[in-house]
Amino acid sequence: MEVCEPAEVRIEFALNCKCRATVRLRSLNPTSPVAFKIQTSSPKKFLVNPPSGLILPLSFATFKVILKPQSHLPRSFPRSPSDRFLVKTAEFAANSSGSTHPESINSWFASRPYGFKTRDIKLKVAFVGPLLLNDAVTRGELDAVRNLIKRQRSMLADLSPAEAESLLGAATKLQEPDDMVHLLLEAGLRIVPSPNASDEVHVAEDTNTNVSERKHPKLICPSLIMFCFHIFAVFREKRWRWEKQYLRLRGMERRMK
């Protein structure tokens, strides 16, 4: 038995609603059915459907993991160290009960003699999704952002223009924003300026100023901000390489002397 990719329970997290993930199992046994049973370290937090079942030789089976509505963000993400699943598997003997109902499979596992060997597969839990990405960007958690994007390659591309601009705004407000902005740009964040957006910011009029002297500051295009950060990040990386090469050449020159 093996777990198809991703080899973890990956749940797109949202507040105050049920969140679901599907796990796919594959039987590697060419001759006998394989029984499986799912256990979790957090039974008050998760539901599993079906909790057990039977897979025919060289076939597939799936089970769904349901996260009950949560009112708070996970304490740790993407990986949740306190949440785990265990898939217990065993070859289903030919003379066993022919019923494949989950209760029958559970009874079959419970009736096995002491020392009966099972093959256990451990599954970790990972929480993903735009909500958690925005939280990680706001807090400046580079590692969390990197691991979230790694698990959802298309997440940034799937953001709406408003969501993408909000995410970029959160990144630029950090004390040291260049690393975060560069990471988001490299991962595919795209900002599309709205065609209906105004080019001017209306300011309060000063009665002591002539109309001809009043100037309204222009808005900076979000894509221009992204471009500037990208150029800065590329220049910084190349400068670091140049300095490293220069120091290496100086060292070689000193050794020759």
Side-chain angles (χ1 to χ4, degrees), residues 36-165:
F36 68 90
K37 178 181 179 180
I38 315 298
Q39 298 176 341
T40 177
S41 62
S42 307
K44 294 183 179 180
K45 191 174 180 180
F46 296 100
L47 299 174
V48 179
N49 184 33
S52 59
L54 198 64
I55 309 179
L56 297 178
L58 301 179
S59 297
F60 295 88
T62 61
F63 66 89
K64 293 186 180 297
V65 174
I66 303 171
L67 174 67
K68 297 178 182 179
Q70 304 292 307
S71 58
H72 302 285
L73 296 181
R75 293 182 179 179
S76 176
F77 59 82
R79 278 283 173 84
S80 176
S82 61
D83 299 319
R84 297 178 300 277
F85 285 83
L86 182 68
V87 182
K88 299 181 72 68
T89 69
E91 183 176 323
F92 198 66
N95 58 353
S96 302
S97 170
S99 175
T100 60
H101 192 275
E103 293 184 0
S104 299
I105 300 297
N106 284 335
S107 300
W108 181 81
F109 271 104
S111 64
R112 295 304 90 192
Y114 178 78
F116 177 74
K117 293 183 178 180
T118 62
R119 182 176 183 271
D120 299 342
I121 303 174
K122 297 179 180 179
L123 294 177
K124 297 180 179 180
V125 175
F127 296 115
V128 297
L131 178 64
L132 299 182
L133 177 64
N134 187 75
D135 180 74
V137 170
T138 302
R139 293 187 290 107
E141 297 288 344
L142 277 171
D143 288 340
V145 172
R146 190 176 292 109
N147 288 324
L148 284 167
I149 294 174
K150 180 180 178 181
R151 286 174 167 82
Q152 283 187 302
R153 297 287 185 182
S154 63
M155 177 166 49
L156 292 176
D158 293 339
L159 293 177
S160 68
E163 291 172 334
E165 189 168 350

Side-chain angles (χ1 to χ4, degrees), residues 189-219:
L189 182 66
R190 295 291 180 267
I191 300 294
V192 181
S194 172
N196 299 324
S198 173
D199 291 334
E200 295 182 349
V201 177
H202 297 285
V203 297
E205 294 183 355
D206 186 352
T207 56
N208 297 324
T209 305
N210 294 331
V211 175
S212 58
E213 296 178 352
R214 296 173 191 153
K215 295 182 179 180
H216 295 174
K218 298 288 184 178
L219 285 174

Side-chain angles (χ1 to χ4, degrees), residues 19 211 237:
C19 305
V211 175
E237 183 177 353

